[in-house]
Amino acid sequence: MKQKKTARNQARKDSPGGNAAIKSEKKTEKNSFFSWLLVLALLGAWLSVGVMWFDLVDYNSVVGALGGVYDADGDGDFDVEDAKVLLGLTEKPVMVASPENPLGEKESISHSTHGSTYDAEPSLEFTTEESRPANQISPEFPPATQPVPTSVSTPKSIIETTEFTEEPSVESKEEKEAKKKKPKLLNKFDKTIKSEINAAEKLRKKGKIEESLHAFEALVQKFPQSSRCRYGKAQAEDDLAEKMRSNEMLLKAVNSYKEVAELPDVPPDLIKATLKRRADRQQFLGRTRGSLATLEKLVQIFPEDVSLKNDLGVAHLLLGDNKSAKRIYEEVLARAPHDGFAKVHYGFILKSENKIAESIPYLREGLETGDPGTDDGRFYFHLGDALQRTGDKSAYDWYEAGHRRGHFASVWQRSLYNVPGLRAQPWWTAEETGYTVLVKMLERNWLTIRDEALSVLDGTSGQFLPEDENLRETGDWGQFTLWQQGRKVAASCRHVPKTCGLLERYPEATSCKRGQIKFSVMQVGTHVWPHTGPTNCRLRMHLGLVIPSKGCRIRCTNQTREWEEGKVLIFDDSFEHEVWQEAESYRLIFIVDVWHPELTQLQRQTLSPI
């Protein structure tokens, strides 16, 4: 071969321009070689891009080839994410076992107690919504986003501590420790059957829940003392309950979680994960006392875990046992004085005891930590409210911070049960509401309504009950309710049959599950603190019945108005409003709440009562 090439070159050299041709060919060969190298390099680069961005690698085939051999993400099995690590496309992750989620798993039906969404109404009662059965979908909507009526400056310090991010800006000590330590869910025996556990778990992660449940049930029957197999069964039942919207299946999961914790030789991390999930599911089912008992057991087993004590405090609050919750948070703060979760809840309790000034530093410092569980609209609401009541103008800075965090529609409109996109304005005309027929009926029959109200206003009848929401700074304020949450109070209507008869024909009022229909009497010297209603789903009508000539007024945002006898005022009470009664005699009005006119019929039917 070499001889033939030499002969060719000699022949070319002897021909005219031969030397030049040979040199040109050699140069071409050299250029072609480097061109191919460049092409191959570019192909390699684009192949890497394709692998990363277009998922060109069949990770499932890698999983199939190496199943059970390489567990990169520490979740107890080998799956697609492990394959990506093995191929060098992602770094090996650290399993995060946060206080809210010790396994780093996605909780699909509801949040854990520690990070749960309590009753969003900014009341002083720490109650949750009626526990929603697993076969019902939450009718709640995220807070509406509306323009701020007036500009309120926010101090840089507050903006920095409340800047909206998806993750808390400050990690707690427990979270940092959890990142260092991967939870151990397998005991010695379970490690010997790890491949079988992985196979069943892989089915669950792929969404093949029924197959996974059958696989875990077979494993439990085969290995009845295996805590990890029984835990997998409970998880599969939990997932299936969500899929089927079945309370019965969820109860099976609750019982299975209990069985896991009662087995011998259960790893501590698995006990913690199991009982935390059981407490959460019990709470979801409305079994608050059962959830409390489960959390008490957890605290007994893990007395040094502050996050579990925080959860226990919440459970007591949900049962209305503020005294026990207060004691628990005092214990937590004695051990962990900078725990933000404990601080905001302790401040919440102090404010419910009307210890306004004492509550402020706990609420403020707790929010400033940014700890998990502190970013709740109610804590911003109550801190601002406490500051307002002490005459501190920084209240609006915190309302602004709550608005920036997405908890409030605006600085003025601070309701927490909202439907997005509804027209938002403090004052309305009858024409704007579309309820002109109702307004005209009220104004036409105001004397009849007034006379029936006066008949029950007699002090000996005891029909008017004192306002009990801690909204008064001074004075006396009584109410007599005819409809509550869309339900007629028959006993009350027997005393004022004509008034109730007039309203029966107006479902926009009588079916309003997020409002009331009631008489309101306010005595001389009464001042109602600035406050907001719980929802933007209603408008409030005030019909003047007995109005002194001067001294009675109501402010909504920055506009102040007065009542007139026989006339209806309409406002949106989700905006901040305040009332003064400085007349020489009592003021009597008739309050009629109506659905926001832009709500659809379906929304009116499915929204939860308030």
Side-chain angles (χ1 to χ4, degrees), residues 51-200:
V51 166
M52 292 295 289
W53 293 98
F54 302 105
D55 247 3
L56 296 182
V57 174
D58 184 0
Y59 299 114
N60 287 308
S61 67
V62 181
V63 171
L66 298 169
V69 178
Y70 190 87
D71 178 18
D73 57 9
D75 59 359
D77 68 356
F78 184 85
D79 51 23
V80 169
E81 296 307 315
D82 298 322
K84 290 185 179 182
V85 174
L86 188 60
L87 290 168
L89 300 180
T90 59
E91 295 182 1
K92 185 172 180 178
V94 178
M95 192 60 149
V96 179
S98 68
E100 296 87 353
N101 193 353
L103 293 178
E105 295 176 341
K106 180 181 179 181
E107 295 185 351
S108 50
I109 294 183
S110 72
H111 302 291
S112 66
T113 306
H114 190 70
S116 64
T117 52
Y118 317 116
D119 181 4
E121 183 177 359
S123 68
L124 286 168
E125 294 180 4
F126 203 87
T127 56
T128 185
E129 287 184 77
E130 289 292 328
S131 294
R132 190 177 302 108
N135 60 359
Q136 292 184 9
I137 299 174
S138 169
E140 296 306 326
F141 298 82
T145 302
Q146 302 292 348
V148 182
T150 60
S151 176
V152 180
S153 62
T154 306
K156 185 178 179 182
S157 60
I158 295 179
I159 294 175
E160 288 174 349
T161 57
T162 58
E163 188 71 30
F164 182 79
T165 55
E166 291 187 2
E167 296 295 331
S169 58
V170 179
E171 289 182 338
S172 66
K173 183 179 178 181
E174 289 79 9
E175 284 182 311
K176 291 178 180 178
E177 290 297 323
K179 286 185 178 181
K180 297 176 184 177
K181 182 182 177 183
K182 183 172 68 175
K184 297 178 181 179
L185 308 180
L186 303 176
N187 58 24
K188 289 182 180 180
F189 173 75
D190 286 335
K191 287 178 181 178
T192 66
I193 57 170
K194 183 177 178 180
S195 60
E196 295 177 74
I197 294 172
N198 288 346

Side-chain angles (χ1 to χ4, degrees), residues 105 128 195 243 291 306 309 369 403 432 437 440 444 517-518 539 560 563 575-577 597:
E105 295 176 341
T128 185
S195 60
K243 181 179 179 180
S291 177
V306 169
K309 282 206 165 189
T369 66
H403 167 55
E432 287 173 331
V437 177
K440 289 178 180 178
R444 188 170 57 248
I517 300 175
K518 58 190 177 183
L539 301 179
T560 301
W563 297 272
F575 287 86
E576 180 186 294
H577 53 287

